[in-house]
C-alpha cells in the first residue's frame, strides 16, 4: 500500500527526523482540557504561533469541543470560529500545514479554501466523502475510529472482542473502500481514536499495541494529549497529565510514521530532543557549556 507523501505547504509528512508534533489550537473557550473565559481570534492566532515557535510541525484548528457536556454549535458558529484563524495562519505561517478538526463537510471544504491542507474528522462516518474532498484539493485526511455520534461518549466494556483487532478490521475495510478513489490512499492518515467510544482499559490496550497499525502502510495519528486513560492511570485532572502524556509519547515514538496530537508542544519537543541525544542521534560538542542565563530559574 502506498504511504502518504509530501503534500502542500512543504513536506507535510517528512518522518526522516522522527515523529511529527501536531499542535492543538482550540478556537473555542470550552475545551475540556484548557477552558478559558473568552477566546477571540487574535488570542487563538497568537497561541498557535507560539506552538510553532515551540516546535509544532503542523497545527490542528478546531471550533468546538467534543465533550458531550457542551451543546453542539451551529454550522455558522463553527465557520465563524475557525475560518478567520485558518486564513490568518495560512498567511502568517505559509510553511506550516494546517489541519481542521471537524466532522462537517461544509466546514472542511471552507477550511481547505481558506488555507488548510489536512481534514481531521474524528467521527467514524463520511470518510469516503472527506477523502474525495481532500483529493480534489490535493490535501490529506484522517480516518478516525469512532463509532459514536457527535457529542456522545460510549463506554461499554463489551463493545469490542479484541479492541485492537476490531479497530484494525475497521481500518482495513475503510482503506479498501478508499482504494476505489484515485489518490485517496496516498492522502490518508489513520487515528485509532483513543478515548473515542473506548473505555480507559480499551484505550490502554490500543496504546500498548499501537505498533500493530503500522502494518496498514499509512501514517498513524495518535491523539494522546491529556486523555482520560492517562487521567485514570495517574489519578489526575487534565492540567496535571503532562507526565503521563510524555510517558505515552515515549512508548509510541519509535514506531512507524507517527504524528502526535498534543497540547504541550514545547515539553514534547524537548523530550524528543533529549531522546535523540541519549540514543546517539545528536551529540554535545566537547566545548559546549550551559549558558549563564540558564543556570537559574527565569522570572
Amino acid at each position: 500500500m502506498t504511504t502518504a507523501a509530501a503534500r502542500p505547504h512543504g513536506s507535510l509528512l517528512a518522518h526522516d527526523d522522527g515523529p511529527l508534533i501536531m499542535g492543538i489550537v482550540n478556537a473555542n473557550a470550552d475545551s475540556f482540557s484548557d477552558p478559558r473565559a473568552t477566546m477571540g481570534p487574535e488570542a487563538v492566532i497568537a497561541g498557535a504561533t507560539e506552538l510553532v515557535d515551540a516546535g509544532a510541525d503542523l497545527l490542528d484548528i478546531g471550533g468546538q469541543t467534543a465533550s458531550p457536556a457542551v451543546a453542539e454549535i451551529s454550522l455558522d458558529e463553527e465557520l465563524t470560529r475557525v475560518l478567520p484563524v485558518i486564513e490568518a495562519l495560512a498567511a502568517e505561517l505559509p510553511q506550516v500545514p494546517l489541519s481542521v478538526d471537524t466532522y462537517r463537510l461544509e466546514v472542511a471544504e471552507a477550511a481547505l479554501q481558506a488555507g488548510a491542507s489536512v481534514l481531521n474528522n474524528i467521527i467514524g462516518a463520511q470518510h469516503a466523502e472527506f477523502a474525495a474532498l481532500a483529493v480534489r484539493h490535493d490535501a490529506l485526511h484522517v480516518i478516525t475510529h469512532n463509532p459514536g455520534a457527535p457529542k456522545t461518549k460510549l463506554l461499554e466494556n463489551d463493545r469490542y472482542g479484541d479492541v485492537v483487532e476490531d479497530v484494525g478490521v475497521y481500518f482495513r475495510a475503510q482503506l479498501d473502500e478508499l482504494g476505489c478513489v484515485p489518490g485517496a490512499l496516498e492522502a490518508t492518515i489513520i487515528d485509532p481514536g483513543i478515548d473515542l467510544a473506548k473505555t480507559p482499559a480499551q484505550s490502554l490496550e490500543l496504546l500498548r499495541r499501537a505498533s500493530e497499525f503500522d502494518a496498514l502502510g499509512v501514517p498513524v495519528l495518535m491523539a494522546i494529549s491529556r486523555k482520560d486513560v492517562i487521567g485514570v492511570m495517574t489519578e489526575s485532572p487534565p492540567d496535571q497529565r503532562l507526565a503521563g502524556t510524555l510517558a505515552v509519547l515515549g512508548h509510541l515514538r519509535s514506531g512507524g510514521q507517527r504524528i502526535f496530537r498534543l497540547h504541550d508542544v514545547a515539553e514534547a519537543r524537548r523530550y524528543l530532543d533529549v531522546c535523540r541525544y541519549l540514543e546517539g542521534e545528536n551529540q554535545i560538542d566537547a566545548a559546549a557549556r550551559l549558558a549563564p542565563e540558564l543556570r537559574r530559574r527565569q522570572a
Side-chain angles (χ1 to χ4, degrees), residues 237-251:
D239 61 344
Q240 296 176 26
R241 296 177 190 168
L242 174 58
T245 299
L246 293 180
V248 173
L249 175 61
H251 176 69

Side-chain angles (χ1 to χ4, degrees), residues 175-192:
L175 294 173
D176 285 345
E177 181 180 348
L178 294 186
C180 300
V181 181
L185 289 180
E186 294 84 354
T188 298
I189 301 166
I190 58 173
D191 178 352

Side-chain angles (χ1 to χ4, degrees), residues 68-103:
V70 180
E72 185 177 38
I73 64 174
S74 69
L75 170 62
D76 287 344
E77 177 63 20
E78 187 176 0
L79 291 169
T80 298
R81 290 180 181 182
V82 300
L83 291 186
V85 175
I86 293 172
E87 290 171 351
L89 290 175
E92 187 172 342
L93 303 170
Q95 79 285 2
V96 178
L98 304 177
S99 168
V100 60
D101 177 357
T102 185
Y103 50 81

Side-chain angles (χ1 to χ4, degrees), residues 97 137 145:
H137 288 265
H145 180 272

Side-chain angles (χ1 to χ4, degrees), residues 35 47 50 60 78-79 82 97 125 136 169 177 204 247 251 284 298:
E50 290 175 1
D60 190 39
E78 187 176 0
L79 291 169
V82 300
R136 288 202 302 273
V169 167
E177 181 180 348
L204 176 58
H251 176 69
I284 295 179
Q298 298 180 353

